[in-house]
Amino acid sequence: MNNYKIENTEFVGLRIDKVIPLIDKTLSRSFVVQLIDDKKILINNNIVKPSYKIKLNDIVSIDIPPLKELDICAENIPLNVIYEDDELLVVNKPQGMVVHPAHGHYQGTLVNALLAHCQNLSGINGVMRPGIVHRIDKDTSGLIVVSKNDQSHLFLASQLKDHTMHREYYALVKGIIKENEGKIDLPIARSKQNRQKMAIDSINGKPSITYFNVVKRFNNYTLIRCKLKTGRTHQIRVHLSYIGHPVEGDCNYSKSKNNLYSNGQLLHAYKLTFIHPKTKKEMSFECPLPDYFLQIINNLN
């Protein structure tokens, strides 16, 4: 049972079946409605209908049944493939696409698209995550490397583990960051209050380091580049929120209203560098900001 306390004022007055997918991006609205009908979602320990309107400080309890291994279907979903060879491919994932099937997202994921695109994908992470070496959040866009066989998968995964795979992001954050560059070195662990979120935890947290530099300052916003030294879940979002500069559009880690964009965090994985598993040569890829992100920057200019 996962418990969430509603502290974000943006959620107040919204229907519960709309709010929960904003709190937990892995749950679709249709799946949430099914959970409510099955009495698996309670508000303040009470059974509610999907039309229930959220109040500040409501306690939302969600009991998600165990995920079963399913036959994942190939789907003819367009992929923006940046690079491909016999060992791997690099894909520019759009915002809003889940990387692999999970509760309420059995279709329309990157894995569904990959199965239609490739005949061979590594099987190390099981049938639910073929080829997936690393992930980015549903509402984060950008580069992901996918492995076509187990040997390449292990080689790429070792680079993640020893931090020799380099991932860089653009983020538009709230407020003016005064320093031109900085290092955020704060340990991250699963939140004790909300198991779907991460939090700074000096006792139980794992070492987490994010480097950043300012690209441009606007009126009450700052465009930055971030480079991950470690790759904890939600690391950039948690770190930037903790220092008082949450990513614009982030409903989970920002308590203030998202005035520019409300469809997900403005975070884009624009650069990916790694050693190729077969040639052993360094490869580096970049992809530009998506149109909706670029339009917001142009409006700020």
Side-chain angles (χ1 to χ4, degrees):
M1 180 77 74
N2 296 321
N3 294 313
Y4 310 87
K5 185 177 181 180
I6 302 299
E7 298 177 317
N8 191 330
T9 56
E10 287 189 42
F11 297 155
V12 174
L14 298 179
R15 289 168 55 110
I16 184 64
D17 60 340
K18 183 177 180 181
V19 168
I20 290 179
L22 296 175
I23 296 174
D24 186 345
K25 299 288 188 178
T26 67
L27 303 180
S28 67
R29 189 168 180 177
S30 60
F31 186 64
V32 166
V33 171
Q34 184 61 54
L35 289 175
I36 294 173
D37 291 342
D38 293 340
K39 300 179 177 57
K40 298 291 187 182
I41 294 179
L42 306 177
I43 305 295
N44 305 320
N45 290 321
N46 296 316
I47 297 171
V48 295
K49 295 181 179 180
S51 58
Y52 174 85
K53 301 293 182 63
I54 283 291
K55 301 179 181 64
L56 194 64
N57 297 320
D58 271 348
I59 303 297
V60 181
S61 302
I62 307 175
D63 183 13
I64 301 176
L67 182 65
K68 298 178 181 179
E69 294 284 319
L70 301 174
D71 290 330
I72 305 303
C73 298
E75 296 181 57
N76 189 21
I77 301 171
L79 280 175
N80 184 0
V81 178
I82 304 298
Y83 172 84
E84 183 173 8
D85 61 25
D86 291 339
E87 303 296 318
L88 56 86
L89 62 158
V90 176
V91 177
N92 180 10
K93 185 191 81 69
Q95 185 187 59
M97 175 181 274
V98 176
V99 170
H100 61 77
H103 286 293
H105 291 283
Y106 302 118
Q107 297 177 329
T109 73
L110 178 61
V111 162
N112 295 107
L114 288 169
L115 289 173
H117 180 82
C118 301
Q119 295 298 314
N120 298 312
L121 291 168
S122 66
I124 286 176
N125 279 334
V127 298
M128 302 291 279
R129 293 183 286 176
I132 301 303
V133 179
H134 64 112
R135 294 174 291 176
I136 56 178
D137 299 334
K138 172 189 174 185
D139 288 329
T140 298
S141 57
L143 297 174
I144 292 180
V145 61
V146 177
S147 176
K148 291 187 175 182
N149 58 69
D150 289 356
Q151 282 186 323
S152 293
H153 189 127
L154 291 171
F155 188 85
L156 292 166
S158 69
Q159 295 179 63
L160 277 174
K161 186 176 182 180
D162 63 18
H163 312 311
T164 55
M165 180 182 290
H166 302 298
R167 291 166 290 165
E168 299 181 47
Y169 295 72
Y170 279 111
L172 183 68
V173 303
K174 298 176 182 180
I176 304 297
I177 297 180
K178 296 180 180 179
E179 301 83 359
N180 289 330
E181 59 184 32
K183 173 184 176 183
I184 307 172
D185 186 354
L186 295 167
I188 292 176
R190 185 73 58 183
S191 170
K192 295 181 176 65
Q193 288 74 38
N194 183 339
R195 300 302 295 173
Q196 294 299 319
K197 294 174 64 174
M198 308 302 287
I200 303 301
D201 189 331
S202 58
I203 298 175
N204 301 310
K206 293 181 179 180
S208 307
I209 298 174
T210 303
Y211 297 96
F212 70 86
N213 68 282
V214 170
V215 177
K216 191 167 185 178
R217 297 178 179 90
F218 306 96
N219 184 23
N220 296 323
Y221 295 93
T222 307
L223 179 66
I224 63 174
R225 280 190 293 259
C226 297
K227 187 173 183 179
L228 294 177
K229 174 68 174 178
T230 55
R232 311 301 176 201
T233 301
H234 300 174
Q235 178 175 314
I236 292 175
R237 297 163 64 191
V238 172
H239 272 170
L240 292 174
S241 176
Y242 190 83
I243 67 170
H245 296 285
V247 180
E248 173 66 17
D250 193 337
C251 292
N252 283 342
Y253 295 104
S254 176
K255 294 184 179 180
S256 60
K257 189 173 182 180
N258 294 300
N259 293 315
L260 297 181
Y261 193 73
S262 58
N263 293 327
Q265 61 272 3
L266 289 177
L267 185 62
H268 177 66
Y270 81 96
K271 187 173 183 179
L272 180 64
T273 304
F274 56 85
I275 304 299
H276 191 277
K278 191 169 185 177
T279 67
K280 302 302 187 289
K281 294 182 179 179
E282 182 178 271
M283 306 187 78
S284 188
F285 304 92
E286 293 190 30
C287 61
L289 288 172
D291 290 342
Y292 64 89
F293 199 148
L294 191 60
Q295 184 61 53
I296 290 171
I297 298 301
N298 290 336
N299 290 342
L300 287 172
N301 280 324

